[in-house]
Amino acid sequence: MGQQFKELSTKHIDFIGNQKIYFVGTATENGHVNLSPKGNDSLRVIDANTIVWQNLTGSGNESAAHVLLNPRMTIMFCAFEGSPLILRAYGQARVLHRNDRDWEKYITLFPKSVASRQVFILDISMVQSSCGTSVPYFNYESDRDTLAKWSENKGKEGIEAYWIKKNQRSIDGFESEIVERSGITIDI
């Protein structure tokens, strides 16, 4: 039976700390709903009402574009081992790029990466738990290092060129503001 809470409990925070994967959901009023799996060392629980996660460079930039238009966000965690549990944190999010005022405050919480694209801050309005008894067991093997190797090979300038080419707009054409808020200059 599902339960709702106003904030994360100590038990919830401990559960989140043991997860190897989480899922981020965002949507605008129109267009496609985005659901992104995230991993590696990219999430921090700041307090019972705040989660921060680092967004590394990827093929799309949906979460940033969506949050700029509609700040609703859901983060979901699933138990793939041990006792079954699905935990969702709902709330309002904001996105930080490297030229934004609070960037340094939050980016330093994560391992340094040339692929660091944004940081999202979720202000939690509700937490919901549900049983998760139909979620299968999976064994964690290891984190993938493909993105880290790819981004290191590209370097800062290569990553910025990728952002210009692939990350300025969502699949629905919504702006991500990555160029202007990251201080990238486009040569014309």
Side-chain angles (χ1 to χ4, degrees):
M1 183 74 163
Q3 293 182 310
Q4 294 178 349
F5 309 88
K6 291 183 179 182
E7 61 185 20
L8 295 168
S9 68
T10 302
K11 182 180 173 183
H12 296 148
I13 294 169
D14 290 343
F15 173 74
I16 290 169
N18 289 321
Q19 301 314 299
K20 304 296 186 198
I21 187 172
Y22 59 99
F23 303 86
V24 176
T26 58
T28 58
E29 294 300 320
N30 300 302
H32 293 83
V33 173
N34 185 58
L35 182 60
S36 295
K38 305 293 181 186
N40 292 318
D41 187 11
S42 64
L43 184 134
R44 300 288 183 270
V45 176
I46 303 300
D47 57 44
N49 297 103
T50 314
I51 292 176
V52 175
W53 61 276
Q54 175 184 219
N55 195 22
L56 299 173
T57 299
S59 57
N61 202 1
E62 303 305 301
S63 298
H66 287 181
V67 165
L68 290 170
L69 293 171
N70 187 339
R72 293 177 307 157
M73 179 180 282
T74 301
I75 301 177
M76 183 181 76
F77 307 89
C78 298
F80 294 110
E81 60 186 20
S83 299
L85 177 63
I86 298 171
L87 187 69
R88 292 178 181 92
Y90 301 90
Q92 301 288 302
R94 64 185 171 114
V95 57
L96 298 177
H97 293 83
R98 68 178 179 214
N99 276 6
D100 291 338
R101 185 183 50 144
D102 288 337
W103 175 258
E104 286 300 319
K105 175 181 176 181
Y106 291 104
I107 196 63
T108 57
L109 298 173
F110 303 100
K112 189 174 177 126
S113 171
V114 69
S116 295
R117 183 170 58 182
Q118 291 111 0
V119 172
F120 289 84
I121 303 164
L122 178 66
D123 294 320
I124 298 168
S125 59
M126 184 178 71
V127 174
Q128 182 179 32
S129 66
S130 55
C131 65
T133 55
S134 68
V135 174
Y137 289 107
F138 280 100
N139 292 318
Y140 171 75
E141 197 173 305
S142 67
D143 288 334
R144 297 176 193 259
D145 62 0
T146 308
L147 177 63
K149 288 179 180 177
W150 173 83
S151 58
E152 288 299 322
N153 285 337
K154 283 210 166 286
K156 182 179 182 287
E157 290 178 2
I159 291 293
E160 289 176 355
Y162 186 86
W163 290 350
I164 291 167
K165 184 177 180 182
K166 300 271 192 178
N167 287 172
Q168 289 191 69
R169 295 188 182 279
S170 73
I171 58 175
D172 295 308
F174 304 128
E175 286 284 336
S176 71
E177 298 183 357
I178 192 162
V179 171
E180 53 270 48
R181 289 178 59 190
S182 296
I184 300 171
T185 304
I186 299 177
D187 294 329
I188 298 175

